[in-house]
Amino acid sequence: MREMHVAVLLFAFALTGTTLALDNGLMRTPPMGWLAWERYRCDIDCENDPKNCISENLFMDMADRLAEDGWKELGYVYVNIDDCWSSKQRDDQGRLQPDPKRFPGGIKKLAHYLHNRGLKLGIYGDMGKLTCMAYPGTPLDKIELDAQTFADWEVDMLKYDGCYSNAMEQELGYPLMSKALNATGRPIGYSCSWPAYQGGLPPKVNYTQLGEICNLWRNYGDIQDSWDSVLNIVDWFFENQDALTPAAGPGRWNDPDMLIIGDFGLSMEQSRSQMALWAIMAAPLFISNDLRTISSGAQSILRNEMAISINQDALGIQGRRIVKEKSGIEVFWRPLSKNASALLFFSRRTDMPYRYTTSLSKLSYTAGSYKVFNVFTDETASLKDSTEFVVSVNPTGVVMWYVSAPAKFNLRQFYQGGTLHGRVYDDREENAIPRVFL
Amino acid sequence: MREMHVAVLLFAFALTGTTLALDNGLMRTPPMGWLAWERYRCDIDCENDPKNCISENLFMDMADRLAEDGWKELGYVYVNIDDCWSSKQRDDQGRLQPDPKRFPGGIKKLAHYLHNRGLKLGIYGDMGKLTCMAYPGTPLDKIELDAQTFADWEVDMLKYDGCYSNAMEQELGYPLMSKALNATGRPIGYSCSWPAYQGGLPPKVNYTQLGEICNLWRNYGDIQDSWDSVLNIVDWFFENQDALTPAAGPGRWNDPDMLIIGDFGLSMEQSRSQMALWAIMAAPLFISNDLRTISSGAQSILRNEMAISINQDALGIQGRRIVKEKSGIEVFWRPLSKNASALLFFSRRTDMPYRYTTSLSKLSYTAGSYKVFNVFTDETASLKDSTEFVVSVNPTGVVMWYVSAPAKFNLRQFYQGGTLHGRVYDDREENAIPRVFL
């Protein structure tokens, strides 16, 4: 969707100091769209479950909804196939082919269907002998062929999973696919599951390299349709924020996996929390639900323009947890362009709304007067850094603010730390906090 | 609400073979109403949180909603105070007194406010030196005085908690309070927290005795505003169903604690699941939420008349889990009057709707043709016992049926077991299943 800009690329070169292997110029902000897996899994029973099985009809249905119901205009443009789309056999020229019964029109025709509606098509492959659900994989000797096939089909994105391969094969395969995609000449967004298969952390995972070869990468396990799963993912990402946040930036994103908003397991509070936390994380926003039947409540959360704009901020800096109170209240912060920032108050409590008292100066904001915009209520306020305020945070819920400010932000201090002003912090967090952002 | 009937009492005598200590004739079906604790806890900060603090205003607000919004007509008639209502000091005659700032009109006036609206008032005491939140308790030497005070105030129900007392004091105190309430001459529903403090299971807990002295009792820990908490409670009650189900019946109920529907932690699916499981369990239905702001979705679940009628079935037999599949599907069953029954299909999965195939005969229904009414969709169907059917059960959700049938039900076989027809059961469940219900 967004074309490569020379200035941006030069900046990227300057940062990394190495040759950029993936030069597709895509995904300067986190990609947004729809992905089949969490909601539809490997349902191939089109006879008994025709509306929900993995078939071209499902993807065309979702494309219709994205295009006709205003999702596309909000940025949700990718329609992504996951596992179980292909035939169990390659064709007589060794190429992957879709299941003929479920995709009788073929992938290229499906891509055209999407392109005609201003959407993009994502497809799924696996760096190994087999996909996770035992469909044909794309091992080392098939990478160039399959990349060319995807390009021939006019696919716009590839999720490259990692089942049925070992660490050494992955070390060869993920960069090789990056080069192969580049070599096709077609800009294809590249999602790498590699780090998730290697524990997600340095030194086993080299995030500098990942930023050079992939547009996004799954760091951690699959999301499930439960609040426990969301919390587990959030815990992991923020406990490891020192390792993860520097990896993110325009064109290269940590991916905590799909949004399950609109499915079965989250309350409205929890849905707002996932949306807000994914915005703080500068995470890809891939919905995985049934857009044909989604409730208005879930829609209003997924369509929240301020949350989306925070997620899509041009700086592309991934936010961090800056406070972890013993009361179960946590505060997250993300610097945004125009010296603005996002502040998120989150409650892990399971009893009743908690009245949390703090001030912007306690949250290390510099002196001054700020304008605060409440993302989920549209309320606004002016707030001095020294003014004590109370936010009432619902159990498992959030209060999210967009804070516009005259304050200047110092990227170097954000990563290198400074001094910290008087709050009680969890011990584990002591070393993980951006100290001063002047 | 319901007066004592001689025939019913004679039946109760015949069953228990002992003197009935609690002869208030109340709660022949599980009590329904509203209880402050889960949602409002010990919020006494009326200065900063006037709409939510424990005060007469809160209970009058809820009474208005119950009376004016049609909840009362559905059976939700109790308005129950929990902890933190009283002054920290007894009055100069040694009697409990409400906090004068938060209950300036006093409890008797509040009771009249409720009675004038066709509602009933519940209050809270503690069998021990202090309540759980350290307000004055009702230890052994205060039981008669406090029972009389509650009666003088025209209170209709007492929840008698068990903090700050030991097992021996509880063994004396809970029966003594039962007698003291009886001695006042006022019918006061009696909720005993005793078993929850003694592990909830025989031999430490004597459910025969509890049925003689209490109308309901808390067997297990407090519910919290989370799906995990609901699951934890459901697991405990059904893993111990052999010990618990025989204890329940008209006038005496196991209490798995409040409904958290309309609060912050449950999705709509999970809300339907709690309502359905509480109906299967013949559980008291005490809502604990904000009836001033509850969503229409939550309301429609709490107001579901078929679910309520199953909960309130006159036989008062607590249902059981009869199938526990490795797929995560569980089936629950409750026999109802008129040879009807409730069937509940529940999914513990967190992926996608699961298509579960079974038949009524596999679920041990006797031969014949049944009418099936879907509680949450209003669909109806006719179904032969031998007909294989598929129910699609959403993750963390339920499908609940009212099954009307010509079949005769044998209560003795329900508790004593019979033979079991070909299904895969979890080992732990093997001995806990009602085998044949002819």
Side-chain angles (χ1 to χ4, degrees):
Chain A
M1 194 173 66
R2 293 178 185 77
E3 298 303 320
M4 173 177 69
H5 296 290
V6 173
V8 168
L9 265 187
L10 284 177
F11 177 71
F13 275 112
L15 271 185
T16 62
T18 65
T19 307
L20 197 70
L22 183 74
D23 62 355
N24 60 20
L26 295 171
M27 301 180 178
R28 309 307 298 171
T29 63
M32 298 171 64
W34 183 95
L35 174 54
W37 182 257
E38 198 294 311
R39 177 63 182 75
Y40 297 93
R41 309 277 166 158
C42 193
D43 180 355
I44 57 170
D45 185 5
C46 291
E47 194 176 332
N48 293 306
D49 199 15
K51 296 293 281 180
N52 301 306
C53 66
I54 301 301
S55 74
E56 60 186 30
N57 291 328
L58 179 69
F59 298 97
M60 290 192 289
D61 274 3
M62 295 305 155
D64 291 347
R65 298 280 57 76
L66 290 174
E68 293 170 24
D69 298 348
W71 297 96
K72 180 179 70 175
E73 288 74 13
L74 293 164
Y76 295 102
V77 294
Y78 285 93
V79 178
N80 286 9
I81 301 170
D82 207 277
D83 206 345
C84 308
W85 62 271
S86 82
S87 167
K88 291 266 183 173
Q89 306 295 329
R90 289 174 174 264
D91 73 9
D92 48 18
Q93 290 163 58
R95 294 175 304 193
L96 289 171
Q97 55 183 348
D99 181 275
K101 281 200 180 157
R102 294 183 283 115
F103 293 83
I107 302 299
K108 188 167 187 172
K109 194 172 162 195
L110 180 59
H112 284 180
Y113 188 91
L114 301 187
H115 295 158
N116 289 339
R117 283 155 184 78
L119 302 171
K120 292 169 180 285
L121 177 63
I123 204 161
Y124 169 98
D126 186 279
M127 201 291 109
K129 275 198 313 222
L130 297 170
T131 72
C132 298
M133 300 306 289
Y135 287 78
T138 302
L140 294 170
D141 64 338
K142 295 286 195 302
I143 286 176
E144 290 182 14
L145 173 64
D146 291 354
Q148 192 56 53
T149 301
F150 298 146
D152 292 344
W153 288 343
E154 299 179 32
V155 159
D156 304 293
M157 177 173 171
L158 169 67
K159 173 176 170 183
Y160 199 32
D161 211 341
C163 279
Y164 298 101
S165 56
N166 62 36
M168 211 186 303
E169 291 166 324
Q170 290 173 8
E171 184 137 359
L172 293 169
Y174 281 96
L176 198 57
M177 177 60 86
S178 185
K179 282 187 187 145
L181 291 173
N182 266 349
T184 68
R186 182 175 178 84
I188 296 180
Y190 182 33
S191 168
C192 299
S193 300
W194 187 12
Y197 285 88
Q198 299 301 328
L201 296 174
K204 275 186 100 175
V205 173
N206 179 345
Y207 279 110
T208 305
Q209 182 191 10
L210 278 166
E212 292 162 1
I213 66 164
C214 311
N215 293 114
L216 63 158
W217 46 81
R218 286 282 310 285
N219 315 65
Y220 194 59
D222 287 358
I223 198 163
Q224 306 297 328
D225 190 4
S226 75
W227 178 238
D228 279 353
S229 176
V230 172
L231 276 185
N232 179 263
I233 288 169
V234 167
D235 283 342
W236 188 86
F237 274 82
F238 288 101
E239 277 159 20
N240 295 300
Q241 60 187 359
D242 280 349
L244 301 176
T245 52
R252 46 192 178 92
W253 309 104
N254 293 298
D255 180 5
D257 212 2
M258 290 158 275
L259 295 170
I260 57 168
I261 298 162
D263 290 312
F264 306 103
L266 297 191
S267 70
M268 284 296 109
E269 292 298 326
Q270 293 158 359
S271 299
R272 276 186 284 273
S273 296
Q274 192 188 19
M275 190 74 185
L277 287 158
W278 263 235
I280 288 287
M281 286 192 277
L285 298 181
F286 285 104
I287 310 172
S288 188
N289 62 24
D290 190 342
L291 294 173
R292 299 165 297 200
T293 60
I294 182 174
S295 73
S296 59
Q299 284 200 43
S300 71
I301 294 167
L302 290 168
R303 292 175 184 273
N304 184 296
E305 295 189 33
M306 184 60 83
I308 291 172
S309 82
I310 291 170
N311 175 276
Q312 295 286 302
D313 184 79
L315 282 183
I317 297 172
Q318 181 171 342
R320 298 169 66 92
R321 180 163 58 194
I322 58 172
V323 177
K324 199 173 165 184
E325 303 278 6
K326 287 193 170 53
S327 64
I329 300 295
E330 301 182 358
V331 185
F332 301 82
W333 176 79
R334 179 179 170 186
L336 304 173
S337 40
K338 299 179 195 163
N339 289 325
S341 56
L343 259 187
L344 180 67
F345 304 92
F346 172 52
S347 172
R348 304 184 75 102
R349 300 177 70 91
T350 55
D351 54 352
M352 57 183 288
Y354 186 85
R355 294 165 56 81
Y356 180 64
T357 304
T358 188
S359 69
L360 290 179
S361 72
K362 283 184 183 166
L363 297 172
S364 301
Y365 275 73
T366 190
S369 188
Y370 294 79
K371 276 197 180 166
V372 164
F373 182 92
N374 188 315
V375 171
F376 291 110
T377 68
D378 287 355
E379 293 163 313
T380 58
S382 284
L383 203 55
K384 276 195 182 159
D385 64 294
S386 55
T387 308
E388 288 233 318
F389 59 83
V390 176
V391 281
S392 178
V393 193
N394 290 337
T396 68
V398 290
V399 171
M400 189 179 207
W401 288 356
Y402 175 86
V403 184
S404 72
K408 285 175 195 157
F409 167 70
N410 185 322
L411 184 65
R412 210 160 141 187
Q413 280 184 307
F414 175 65
Y415 290 124
Q416 296 182 353
T419 55
L420 176 66
H421 309 301
R423 285 215 69 70
V424 182
Y425 293 90
D426 182 283
D427 287 339
R428 284 178 303 175
E429 282 300 296
E430 190 60 46
N431 298 312
I433 299 158
R435 305 310 170 92
V436 178
F437 33 99
L438 293 169
Chain B
M1 196 172 64
R2 293 180 184 77
E3 300 302 321
M4 174 176 69
H5 295 291
V6 174
V8 169
L9 267 187
L10 284 176
F11 177 71
F13 275 111
L15 271 186
T16 63
T18 65
T19 306
L20 196 68
L22 183 76
D23 62 355
N24 61 19
L26 295 170
M27 302 179 176
R28 310 306 299 171
T29 64
M32 297 171 65
W34 184 94
L35 174 53
W37 182 256
E38 198 292 314
R39 176 64 182 73
Y40 298 93
R41 308 279 166 153
C42 194
D43 180 355
I44 57 171
D45 185 5
C46 290
E47 196 178 329
N48 293 307
D49 200 15
K51 296 293 282 179
N52 300 307
C53 66
I54 301 301
S55 74
E56 60 186 32
N57 291 330
L58 180 68
F59 297 97
M60 289 192 291
D61 274 3
M62 295 305 155
D64 291 349
R65 298 279 58 76
L66 290 175
E68 293 170 25
D69 297 347
W71 296 97
K72 180 177 71 174
E73 288 73 13
L74 292 165
Y76 295 101
V77 296
Y78 285 94
V79 178
N80 286 9
I81 300 170
D82 207 275
D83 206 343
C84 309
W85 62 271
S86 82
S87 167
K88 290 267 181 171
Q89 306 296 329
R90 288 175 175 264
D91 72 9
D92 49 19
Q93 291 164 59
R95 293 174 305 193
L96 290 171
Q97 54 183 348
D99 181 274
K101 281 200 180 157
R102 294 182 283 113
F103 292 85
I107 303 299
K108 188 167 184 170
K109 195 172 161 195
L110 180 58
H112 284 179
Y113 188 92
L114 300 187
H115 295 158
N116 289 338
R117 284 156 182 77
L119 303 171
K120 293 167 180 286
L121 177 62
I123 204 162
Y124 169 98
D126 186 280
M127 202 293 106
K129 274 198 316 223
L130 297 169
T131 71
C132 298
M133 300 306 291
Y135 287 77
T138 302
L140 294 170
D141 64 339
K142 295 288 194 298
I143 285 175
E144 290 182 13
L145 174 64
D146 290 355
Q148 191 58 52
T149 301
F150 297 146
D152 292 345
W153 288 343
E154 301 181 30
V155 158
D156 304 294
M157 180 172 167
L158 169 66
K159 174 178 171 180
Y160 199 32
D161 211 341
C163 280
Y164 297 103
S165 57
N166 62 35
M168 213 188 302
E169 291 166 325
Q170 290 174 6
E171 182 137 2
L172 292 168
Y174 281 96
L176 198 58
M177 178 60 88
S178 186
K179 279 186 187 146
L181 291 172
N182 266 349
T184 67
R186 180 173 179 83
I188 297 180
Y190 182 32
S191 168
C192 300
S193 299
W194 188 12
Y197 284 88
Q198 299 302 327
L201 294 174
K204 274 185 101 176
V205 173
N206 179 343
Y207 279 109
T208 305
Q209 182 192 10
L210 278 166
E212 291 162 359
I213 65 165
C214 312
N215 294 114
L216 61 160
W217 46 81
R218 286 282 310 286
N219 316 64
Y220 192 60
D222 287 358
I223 199 164
Q224 307 297 330
D225 190 4
S226 75
W227 177 238
D228 279 353
S229 176
V230 172
L231 276 185
N232 178 264
I233 288 169
V234 166
D235 282 341
W236 189 86
F237 274 81
F238 288 102
E239 276 160 20
N240 296 298
Q241 60 187 0
D242 280 349
L244 301 176
T245 51
R252 47 193 179 89
W253 308 104
N254 294 299
D255 180 5
D257 212 2
M258 290 158 276
L259 295 170
I260 57 169
I261 298 161
D263 290 312
F264 306 102
L266 298 191
S267 69
M268 285 295 108
E269 291 298 328
Q270 293 159 357
S271 298
R272 277 186 283 272
S273 295
Q274 191 188 22
M275 190 72 185
L277 287 158
W278 263 235
I280 289 287
M281 286 192 277
L285 297 181
F286 284 104
I287 309 171
S288 188
N289 62 23
D290 190 343
L291 295 173
R292 299 165 298 199
T293 59
I294 181 174
S295 73
S296 60
Q299 284 200 42
S300 72
I301 294 167
L302 291 167
R303 293 175 184 273
N304 185 295
E305 295 190 33
M306 183 61 81
I308 292 173
S309 82
I310 290 170
N311 175 276
Q312 295 285 303
D313 184 80
L315 282 182
I317 297 171
Q318 182 171 341
R320 299 167 67 91
R321 181 163 58 196
I322 58 172
V323 175
K324 200 173 165 185
E325 303 278 8
K326 288 192 169 55
S327 64
I329 300 296
E330 302 182 357
V331 186
F332 302 79
W333 176 80
R334 179 179 170 188
L336 304 172
S337 39
K338 300 181 194 161
N339 290 324
S341 57
L343 259 187
L344 181 66
F345 305 92
F346 172 50
S347 172
R348 305 184 75 103
R349 299 177 72 91
T350 55
D351 55 353
M352 58 181 288
Y354 187 84
R355 295 167 53 82
Y356 180 62
T357 304
T358 185
S359 69
L360 291 178
S361 71
K362 282 182 183 166
L363 297 171
S364 300
Y365 275 72
T366 189
S369 187
Y370 296 78
K371 277 198 179 164
V372 164
F373 183 92
N374 188 315
V375 170
F376 291 109
T377 67
D378 288 357
E379 293 163 311
T380 58
S382 285
L383 202 55
K384 275 196 184 159
D385 65 293
S386 56
T387 307
E388 290 232 317
F389 59 82
V390 176
V391 282
S392 178
V393 193
N394 290 336
T396 69
V398 290
V399 170
M400 189 180 206
W401 288 357
Y402 175 85
V403 183
S404 72
K408 285 175 197 161
F409 168 70
N410 186 324
L411 185 63
R412 211 159 140 186
Q413 280 184 309
F414 174 66
Y415 288 123
Q416 296 183 352
T419 56
L420 176 67
H421 309 302
R423 284 214 70 69
V424 181
Y425 293 90
D426 182 282
D427 287 339
R428 285 177 303 176
E429 282 301 296
E430 189 61 46
N431 298 312
I433 297 156
R435 306 311 170 95
V436 179
F437 33 99
L438 293 169

